Amino acid sequence: MGLLRIMMPPKLQLLAVVAFAVAMLFLENQIQKLEESRAKLERAIARHEVREIEQRHTMDGPRQDAAVDEEEDIVIIYNRVPKTASTSFTNIAYDLCAKNRYHVLHINTTKNNPVMSLQDQVRFVKNITTWNEMKPGFYHGHISYLDFAKFGVKKKPIYINVIRDPIERLVSYYYFLRFGDDYRPGLRRRKQGDKKTFDECVAEGGSDCAPEKLWLQIPFFCGHSSECWNVGSRWAMDQAKYNLINEYFLVGVTEELEDFIMLLEAALPRFFRGATDLYRTGKKSHLRKTTEKKLPTKQTIAKLQQSDIWKMENEFYEFALEQFQFIRAHAVREKDGDLYILAQNFFYEKIYPKSN
C-alpha cells in the first residue's frame, strides 16, 4: 500500500499557520512575563537582604562616621565589561568576603543599561559614599565609568576593571546570546534558536557581528558623556585612555587574569588576601564558559580588522595591555617559571631632628 496522504484545504492550512503564529506569540509573551516576574522577585529579595543587614548593624549599635577606620572606609567599584571573565573574577570576591570581612553588592541596572540617568547617578554616588554599613564594600555591575569628583564627594571610590581582545570578546558575546553558558545552562537567551555561526554572520553582513558591536570597552571607560557612545569617536578613545591612567587603580586583561589577581592581592590585601590561591585551586576560577563557541576563521578576523572601529578598540586594548604589563614588571619577579611579588623596595633614612 502506498502512503496515505491527507491534504488540507488551503483555508485550513492558512488557519493552521495563523493559529501556530498566535500560539508562538502567546508563549513568547508568557516567557517575557515570567522573566519580568523573576526580575521583580530578585529585586524584592535584594531589598530584603539590605534591610536585614541594616537591622543587624542597628542592633549592634550606631556606627559613628568619625569612628570609621581609614582602612575600613574604602569602596571598590568594578564596572565590569561583559564577556571579559568578569563572573569568574567576581565570584572570587564573593568567596572571600566573609573571611576578609567586607560586603559585595551587585549593581543590577534595568536591561543591563550601562548609562545611568542623572537622578540615578546622584542616588548612586550618595549610596556609595554614605552607606557606612556596607563599608568596606566591593560593588560590581555592567555600568560605564562615573566621575564621582563632579558630585563634590571628598573621597572617591577605587575603580578596577578587566578588558579583553575586542574580537574575542565579541565572538564570546555572540555565542553567549544564542547558547548561554555553563553557569546557568537552563536560562533562555535572547537569540536562542539561531544556529548561524559567527563566520556566517560576518559573511552575510549581519547586525549582531557588525563592527559597531565592537564598540563597548572604550565607552565603558569613557563614561556617561554622550560622545562616549558615539561609535568611532576619537575623543571617546582619548578620554577612555585618560580615565584608565588617571582614574583606575588597576586594569587587567582577560588573557592574564591570574597576574591581575596577584597584583590586587599584593596591593589591596584588605579585600584580596587569599585570592591568588583561590583562583588557582578553587572550583570557580573558570566558572563561566560560553557553550557551543566556534573560533572564527582567519578570513573573518581579517574582515573585521579592516574596520576603523576595530582599529580603535584594538588600540585601546593594546594601550591597556601595555600599561598592565608595565605595572606588573615593576611589581613581580619571575623565578623557575613562577611569578613572585616583590617585597617593599623603599625605606626612610636621614630622619631629622634626631630624637634623644
Side-chain angles (χ1 to χ4, degrees), residues 144-145 214-224 228-229 236 240 313:
S144 57
Y145 169 76
L214 291 166
W215 189 259
L216 190 69
Q217 297 186 132
I218 285 175
F220 256 73
F221 279 79
C222 179
H224 277 67
C228 295
W229 298 89
E313 276 280 347

Side-chain angles (χ1 to χ4, degrees), residues 8-24:
M8 295 176 63
K11 289 185 178 180
L12 287 179
Q13 289 181 9
L14 178 61
L15 285 174
V17 170
V18 171
F20 178 77
V22 170
M24 291 301 298

Side-chain angles (χ1 to χ4, degrees), residues 39-319:
K40 289 180 181 179
L41 180 61
E42 287 179 348
R43 288 194 291 269
I45 292 172
R47 287 193 294 268
H48 178 69
E49 290 176 345
V50 168
R51 283 196 296 269
E52 279 191 335
I53 293 171
E54 289 179 335
Q55 287 173 1
R56 285 201 301 270
H57 282 285
T58 302
M59 292 174 64
D60 292 339
R63 185 174 179 177
Q64 302 297 325
D65 288 349
V68 178
D69 186 84
E70 182 71 19
E71 196 177 62
E72 303 297 298
D73 187 16
I74 183 171
V75 169
I76 293 175
I77 296 181
Y78 172 34
N79 64 314
R80 44 196 282 196
V81 180
K83 305 313 296 176
T84 56
S86 60
T87 300
S88 299
F89 175 63
T90 301
N91 274 288
I92 291 175
Y94 276 111
D95 287 347
L96 292 174
C97 66
K99 179 181 178 182
N100 290 346
R101 295 179 296 104
Y102 62 87
H103 295 93
V104 181
L105 299 91
H106 178 218
I107 310 160
N108 189 344
T109 59
T110 303
K111 296 183 179 179
N112 282 332
N113 186 355
V115 178
M116 290 183 173
S117 67
L118 183 62
Q119 58 270 31
D120 274 348
Q121 293 177 39
V122 173
R123 296 184 188 109
F124 181 61
V125 170
K126 183 178 180 181
N127 290 153
I128 292 289
T129 54
T130 64
W131 201 1
N132 288 334
E133 288 81 7
M134 292 295 110
K135 294 179 181 178
F138 180 96
Y139 292 75
H140 67 97
H142 296 311
I143 57 170
S144 57
Y145 169 76
L146 183 63
D147 182 10
F148 277 58
K150 73 177 185 180
F151 295 90
V153 301
K154 295 179 179 179
K155 186 172 183 179
K156 297 196 294 184
I158 294 174
Y159 269 95
I160 63 173
N161 216 326
V162 177
I163 68 173
R164 186 177 184 178
D165 175 276
I167 291 180
E168 291 183 3
R169 194 206 66 80
L170 179 59
V171 170
S172 182
Y173 189 64
Y174 178 88
Y175 285 107
F176 172 74
L177 290 180
R178 286 153 177 77
F179 301 102
D181 53 32
D182 56 359
Y183 183 47
R184 290 187 290 180
L187 185 63
R188 180 180 174 84
R189 301 297 173 180
R190 183 152 37 104
K191 297 287 185 176
Q192 186 170 323
D194 181 5
K195 305 294 184 181
K196 187 183 300 180
T197 68
F198 187 81
D199 289 327
E200 292 169 343
C201 178
V202 171
E204 297 172 7
S207 59
D208 285 347
C209 54
E212 289 77 11
K213 295 295 184 180
L214 291 166
W215 189 259
L216 190 69
Q217 297 186 132
I218 285 175
F220 256 73
F221 279 79
C222 179
H224 277 67
S225 300
S226 62
E227 187 65 18
C228 295
W229 298 89
N230 184 3
V231 178
S233 167
R234 173 63 58 173
W235 181 91
M237 186 180 71
D238 291 341
Q239 185 64 38
K241 288 181 176 180
Y242 176 88
N243 288 342
L244 187 148
I245 295 296
N246 295 283
E247 304 296 342
Y248 280 80
F249 179 77
L250 184 65
V251 176
V253 294
T254 304
E255 296 79 4
E256 299 176 13
L257 189 60
E258 182 176 327
D259 295 353
F260 171 72
I261 293 169
M262 181 187 296
L263 289 174
L264 283 177
E265 180 173 0
L268 298 172
R270 177 66 184 81
F271 284 82
F272 298 105
R273 185 179 291 109
T276 307
D277 286 340
L278 183 61
Y279 178 81
R280 290 171 176 169
T281 62
K283 296 179 180 179
K284 295 182 178 179
S285 62
H286 299 285
L287 176 62
R288 198 168 206 170
K289 293 182 180 179
T290 303
T291 57
E292 301 290 335
K293 184 169 65 176
K294 297 178 177 63
L295 296 178
T297 63
K298 292 180 180 180
Q299 291 82 357
T300 295
I301 294 174
K303 187 172 182 178
L304 286 173
Q305 289 177 343
Q306 294 173 5
S307 163
D308 289 338
I309 299 171
W310 172 83
K311 292 174 183 176
M312 294 180 71
E313 276 280 347
N314 190 65
E315 180 181 335
F316 178 67
Y317 169 76
E318 295 288 347
F319 178 83

Side-chain angles (χ1 to χ4, degrees), residues 332-346:
V332 303
R333 286 293 180 268
E334 184 176 351
K335 183 179 180 182
D336 299 328
D338 293 324
L339 294 179
Y340 296 90
I341 293 292
L342 290 174
Q344 182 170 313
N345 205 25
F346 72 92

